[in-house]
Amino acid sequence: MATVIPAPVVQVKERIELTVTERNIFDRLLGTLRHFGLSNQLRVAGGWVRDKLLGKECYDIDIALDNMLGSEFVEKVREYLLSTGEQVQGVAVIPSNPEQSKHLETARMRLFDMWIDFVNLRCEEYSDNSRIPTKQKFGTPEEDAYRRDLTINSLFYNINTNTVEDCTKRGIADLKSGKIVTPLPPKATFLDDPLRVLRAIRFGARFGFILDEELKEAASCDEVKDALAAKISRERIGVEIDLMISGNQPVKAMTYICDLMLFPIVFSFPPEFEPSKSESCDRLCNAYLDATWNLIQLIGGSVFSDEQRRLSLYATLFLPFRKTIYKDHKAKKMPVVNYIFRESLKRKASDSETVINIHSAVDKFLSLIPFLVSDGDIELIEVDWGRGLDDVPPTSKLRVLTGLLLREIKDFWRVALLLSTLLYPTNVDHTEDFLKQHFQLDKRKDLFKAVENAITELGLEKVWDVKPLLNGKGIMSVLELKAGGPLVREWQDRQLAWQLAHPSGAVDECLDWMKQTHSKRLKME
């Protein structure tokens, strides 16, 4: 028997209360109508209306015009402001760009330090293979409301009459009952524009609303999934996913994506990769995300910046794939995470690089954790990662290796440590525990804090800011090397290890060590 999730009780205001800035903006727009004797009805559309009714502030005001293009009306506003002696802050016209999912010309104007968008009410028709409307015309408020993605986003605030207009007759009711519903039948709505599936998920997660059963059925049907893959640009999918990950309920959003069987559509893989994915990989990804999200709350969200939190959630979502490899167009082996970011989501290269670096640092952290929490009871002998640390004193090796790791990952070391606590100890298969949500988060929080304290006690906070005592030219001079290259690079690594082993070491001591070590090597050769 399926579990019935009760709909949330949502407090919705009876009327919209304007801020001083909003009132000033609307007064100027109404003044423009009076000045030119215009009969336009000015309506604020969509998200601003929804948020104001929920008692939330919103700084995204979209004005829908009933019988005039936005660019025409903005020019009238500009003329009116100049006639009253007011300064015009800025005017811009953003042309339609169907390739970027922008189907209408939008005029923008800055009023009282806020950018206001102006578009006309519209009615649209779509072709079978594109989310770009094939036919657009001026529409009535009802036509415009019904062509929107969700009933809660279809409300208007009529500036002329100071009233909320609910043209679908259910926008306010759905807002009050916390339901995500499409104005028209969901399958037709999604086939017209499949991106609305992801928007429904994002808003459902953001507000903690329940997805309508008919909507869920439509969103998970093969026809809509195929349309999502075929009609929507990867950039637009990536934007929606990033808004979910950066939002206030990323786990809820990804749970919806898993439940609606959209995970392989959204996070598409290259044709060939190894090792193969397990059938439950999407559930495992989401379980890791759930654990990490809760662990961040337990540790304290202030420990991580917004960017660290965002990339930590991507890194944990793709943790089960961190060892999965594919070959790029040059037949070079690459982490599949690179493909997901660069091809599936079309996100910036730096996101991919940071997450891959976090994954690399996770494995290194896992090898150091037993020693960092051991109180010096066990000696670090086995680990060196091929960095040529043979002449580092055993008592300093832990500080050197940890310092080198932190210099690699820099500000994201706490993120890498956070993920490492999910996979520790390494001799246990955590898959079933996580799928059954046996996270043991208190233990993982204690482990995180213990390692964090150990790193602080080693004096390694911001160790990546430590400057080398000698640069490449200095090393060449001291060792009387005639050319640079790999040998200088090797000595730069050795010098860095020496500095980490001797945090109070002076330049002269480093020079003596370098000369003696180099001399010994020459004699042995």
Side-chain angles (χ1 to χ4, degrees):
M1 187 174 171
T3 305
V4 178
I5 302 172
V9 178
V10 182
Q11 296 297 318
V12 176
K13 291 183 174 293
E14 292 299 317
R15 56 190 297 275
I16 284 179
E17 297 167 9
L18 301 179
T19 64
V20 173
T21 299
E22 290 163 349
R23 197 176 300 282
N24 283 331
I25 290 169
F26 297 164
D27 283 347
R28 297 313 184 271
L29 301 182
L30 292 173
T32 302
L33 297 183
R34 289 192 297 271
H35 182 77
F36 290 101
L38 299 173
S39 61
N40 300 67
Q41 293 290 305
L42 303 177
R43 294 175 172 86
V44 188
W48 181 89
V49 188
R50 177 200 65 225
D51 287 354
K52 294 291 285 189
L53 287 173
L54 291 173
K56 303 174 187 292
E57 287 307 314
C58 182
Y59 305 99
D60 184 15
I61 298 179
D62 295 331
I63 306 291
L65 301 157
D66 58 353
N67 57 11
M68 185 181 288
L69 289 174
S71 54
E72 294 177 51
F73 186 72
V74 162
E75 182 57 31
K76 296 288 187 189
V77 179
R78 191 183 76 83
E79 288 180 38
Y80 168 66
L81 291 177
L82 290 174
S83 75
T84 62
E86 285 195 58
Q87 185 180 1
V88 178
Q89 292 180 311
V91 174
V93 176
I94 305 163
S96 62
N97 185 353
E99 293 303 315
Q100 293 298 316
S101 304
K102 178 149 187 23
H103 313 312
L104 275 184
E105 173 188 282
T106 303
R108 305 191 84 197
M109 180 171 226
R110 197 162 172 80
L111 291 170
F112 296 92
D113 294 322
M114 281 180 67
W115 281 105
I116 315 299
D117 284 0
F118 296 83
V119 295
N120 55 278
L121 293 169
R122 67 262 200 197
C123 178
E124 298 170 347
E125 292 178 13
Y126 295 85
S127 66
D128 290 339
N129 60 355
S130 173
R131 70 181 293 262
I132 299 167
T134 53
K135 186 185 293 185
Q136 292 190 97
K137 59 182 180 180
F138 279 97
T140 64
E142 289 76 14
E143 287 172 327
D144 191 282
Y146 275 101
R147 64 144 202 96
R148 290 180 180 268
D149 54 0
L150 304 171
T151 55
I152 63 169
N153 295 337
S154 68
L155 298 164
F156 294 113
Y157 171 75
N158 189 315
I159 297 173
N160 302 58
T161 61
N162 189 27
T163 57
V164 174
E165 297 173 344
D166 186 359
C167 298
T168 67
K169 302 293 189 290
R170 60 174 302 172
I172 290 174
D174 289 336
L175 201 58
K176 286 181 176 178
S177 59
K179 288 181 182 174
I180 297 294
V181 184
T182 54
L184 294 172
K187 188 172 180 181
T189 298
F190 293 154
L191 288 176
D192 277 348
D193 183 355
L195 188 67
R196 291 168 175 165
V197 174
L198 299 183
R199 287 176 58 81
I201 289 170
R202 176 160 63 85
F203 284 114
R206 175 180 167 186
F207 294 116
F209 286 6
I210 303 299
L211 300 190
D212 175 67
E213 285 303 317
E214 191 182 349
L215 181 150
K216 289 198 290 187
E217 189 178 327
S220 59
C221 80
D222 289 342
E223 203 176 344
V224 168
K225 287 194 286 187
D226 290 345
L228 180 60
K231 289 175 72 170
I232 306 301
S233 73
R234 283 286 152 187
E235 287 86 351
R236 291 299 296 135
I237 290 176
V239 167
E240 287 296 325
I241 295 300
D242 205 62
L243 288 169
M244 292 178 203
I245 290 289
S246 305
N248 62 333
Q249 292 291 339
V251 178
K252 194 174 185 71
M254 288 304 130
T255 301
Y256 278 141
I257 283 177
C258 288
D259 289 347
L260 299 174
M261 296 173 286
L262 296 171
F263 197 92
I265 305 290
V266 171
F267 305 110
S268 63
F269 270 45
E272 295 182 9
F273 55 90
E274 56 182 29
S276 60
K277 287 190 293 182
S278 68
E279 283 187 14
S280 60
C281 70
D282 57 339
R283 298 288 173 189
L284 184 58
C285 290
N286 203 42
Y288 277 132
L289 182 71
D290 190 6
T292 301
W293 177 253
N294 289 318
L295 190 53
I296 288 172
Q297 316 310 312
L298 206 55
I299 290 167
S302 61
V303 171
F304 304 95
S305 68
D306 288 346
E307 185 68 350
Q308 287 167 350
R309 191 197 74 163
R310 182 179 76 89
L311 289 173
S312 73
L313 296 179
Y314 273 123
T316 193
L317 185 66
F318 303 143
L319 200 54
F321 309 138
R322 76 188 194 283
K323 296 182 188 292
T324 307
I325 301 296
Y326 77 106
K327 289 182 180 178
D328 67 10
H329 64 283
K330 295 180 180 177
K332 181 182 176 184
K333 288 187 176 181
M334 298 288 290
V336 83
V337 170
N338 179 71
Y339 184 93
I340 295 173
F341 272 106
R342 305 290 286 274
E343 304 301 330
S344 297
L345 304 177
K346 294 290 184 184
R347 304 308 296 164
K348 55 190 178 184
S350 59
D351 282 0
S352 172
E353 290 161 8
T354 301
V355 169
I356 289 169
N357 288 340
I358 290 168
H359 285 169
S360 174
V362 162
D363 289 327
K364 292 181 178 180
F365 254 125
L366 286 170
S367 64
L368 293 180
I369 285 175
F371 306 99
L372 287 165
V373 297
S374 70
D375 296 325
D377 296 337
I378 49 177
E379 196 171 276
L380 183 56
I381 300 171
E382 300 294 323
V383 184
D384 76 0
W385 305 327
R387 293 294 291 264
L389 306 180
D390 45 294
D391 52 355
V392 171
T395 53
S396 302
K397 199 167 184 181
L398 181 59
R399 186 179 198 276
V400 171
L401 284 169
T402 309
L404 291 174
L405 173 54
L406 266 58
R407 285 178 70 91
E408 283 178 25
I409 196 70
K410 298 185 173 64
D411 274 321
F412 282 87
W413 72 265
R414 282 186 175 86
V415 173
L417 172 59
L418 185 78
L419 270 61
S420 303
T421 64
L422 300 181
L423 302 176
Y424 186 82
T426 54
N427 61 350
V428 175
D429 182 1
H430 299 286
T431 304
E432 281 304 313
D433 286 341
F434 276 89
L435 286 173
K436 292 175 181 174
Q437 298 199 333
H438 297 158
F439 299 149
Q440 296 183 304
L441 291 182
D442 284 333
K443 288 184 179 179
R444 296 179 196 280
K445 173 200 163 189
D446 293 343
L447 179 62
F448 177 93
K449 290 293 185 186
V451 176
E452 184 184 43
N453 291 339
I455 288 171
T456 303
E457 287 171 13
L458 286 170
L460 292 173
E461 188 72 55
K462 296 284 185 184
V463 69
W464 52 90
D465 289 336
V466 173
K467 299 286 187 289
L469 295 174
L470 288 174
N471 61 19
K473 285 185 178 178
I475 290 171
M476 288 176 67
S477 173
V478 169
L479 302 182
E480 299 178 353
L481 301 175
K482 292 185 173 61
L487 189 57
V488 172
R489 177 64 196 157
E490 180 192 333
W491 275 104
Q492 286 174 323
D493 286 346
R494 285 178 171 273
Q495 176 191 222
L496 180 55
W498 186 90
Q499 283 183 243
L500 288 168
H502 305 85
S504 303
V507 177
D508 290 346
E509 292 174 280
C510 183
L511 290 176
D512 289 343
W513 162 80
M514 198 176 282
K515 288 174 182 175
Q516 288 174 15
T517 307
H518 185 53
S519 176
K520 285 179 188 176
R521 285 184 65 177
L522 290 176
K523 286 176 184 177
M524 289 175 67
E525 289 171 3

